[in-house]
């Protein structure tokens, strides 16, 4: 139940279904609590916090707690997600250079796991940040990397790139997510 809810939350968020993604994230947190495994709960809470931060509702105190827990546990994917969440929070605060640093750290950590979805989400945020900073060449490089991941590892990234497969893929994602 936990993994399905986490995946559903992520797919719904990527498909632009913010509220449905948040509901699935809450189900993931409930399922994680039932397991009694602290890392499962931390991961579900980080996923939910990232979604909320992307939607403009950052909680820096909770992020600090979850970041410390991720570092203490040695869970690299959680550390990557914590950095990604920090980058999104900094972006919302218009601290773009700091956000770029945090997103770059998230990418490095995601690649070291390797977690293809976190890697792609890092590229996506880097792409948006670099676009805001007018770094056109780097935006295109990030887009190419994200497109490569969409083609080889995680097709739902096509939803974010406005590729020709988007309408058909969106129908599939919404049917099964």
């Amino acid at each position: 139940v936990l993994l399905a809810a986490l995946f559903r939350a992520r797919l719904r968020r990527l498909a632009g279904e913010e509220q449905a993604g948040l509901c699935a994230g809450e189900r993931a947190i409930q399922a994680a609590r039932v397991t009694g495994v602290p890392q499962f709960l931390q991961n579900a809470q980080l996923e939910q916090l990232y979604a909320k931060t992307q939607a403009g509702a950052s909680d820096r105190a909770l992020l600090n707690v979850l970041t410390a827990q991720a570092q203490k546990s040695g869970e690299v994917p959680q550390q990557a997600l914590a950095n990604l969440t920090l980058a999104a929070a900094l972006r919302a605060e218009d601290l773009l250079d700091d956000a770029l640093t945090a997103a770059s750290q998230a990418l490095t950590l995601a690649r070291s796991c390797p977690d293809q979805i976190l890697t792609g989400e890092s590229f996506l945020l880097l792409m948006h940040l670099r676009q805001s900073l007018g770094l056109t060449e780097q935006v295109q490089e990030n887009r190419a990397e994200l497109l490569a991941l969409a083609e080889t590892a995680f097709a739902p990234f096509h939803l974010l790139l406005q590729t020709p497969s988007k309408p058909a893929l969106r129908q599939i994602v919404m049917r099964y997510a």
Side-chain angles (χ1 to χ4, degrees):
V1 173
L2 171 62
L3 293 177
L6 283 172
F7 198 64
R8 176 171 284 145
R10 185 173 279 174
L11 284 175
R12 290 292 182 156
R13 183 170 42 80
L14 290 174
E17 299 283 331
E18 181 181 303
Q19 193 58 40
L22 290 172
C23 288
E26 286 301 323
R27 282 192 298 278
I29 289 172
Q30 292 169 358
R33 282 192 177 109
V34 170
T35 70
V37 179
Q39 286 81 7
F40 289 175
L41 180 58
Q42 292 162 16
N43 186 57
Q45 288 174 317
L46 270 168
E47 287 282 351
Q48 187 73 336
L49 184 58
Y50 180 62
K52 287 180 177 179
T53 301
Q54 289 284 79
S58 180
D59 182 341
R60 291 291 284 272
L62 179 58
L63 177 58
N64 291 338
V65 168
L66 294 173
T67 299
Q69 290 172 344
Q71 290 171 343
K72 184 178 178 181
S73 71
E75 293 285 337
V76 177
Q78 288 180 19
Q79 292 171 24
L81 186 54
N83 275 293
L84 198 58
T85 305
L86 175 61
L90 292 168
R91 178 184 181 207
E93 295 169 14
D94 205 31
L95 298 170
L96 300 182
D97 290 330
D98 293 336
L100 190 61
T101 299
S104 295
Q105 291 170 343
L107 177 61
T108 300
L109 288 164
R111 283 180 159 169
S112 74
C113 302
D115 186 313
Q116 299 301 310
I117 298 174
L118 278 174
T119 297
E121 294 217 61
S122 298
F123 277 128
L124 180 66
L125 188 52
L126 283 166
M127 191 172 77
H128 291 305
L129 290 165
R130 289 176 171 152
Q131 190 169 21
S132 296
L133 292 167
L135 304 172
T136 308
E137 187 175 313
Q138 291 175 326
V139 169
Q140 293 308 316
E141 290 170 7
N142 292 149
R143 188 180 196 294
E145 292 276 0
L146 191 56
L147 184 57
L149 284 174
E151 293 293 327
T152 62
F154 191 65
F157 284 137
H158 279 290
L159 297 173
L160 306 168
L161 294 171
Q162 306 298 322
T163 61
S165 66
K166 181 183 176 182
L169 180 62
R170 180 174 172 70
Q171 288 177 347
I172 292 168
V173 168
M174 299 313 284
R175 184 177 322 135
Y176 296 105

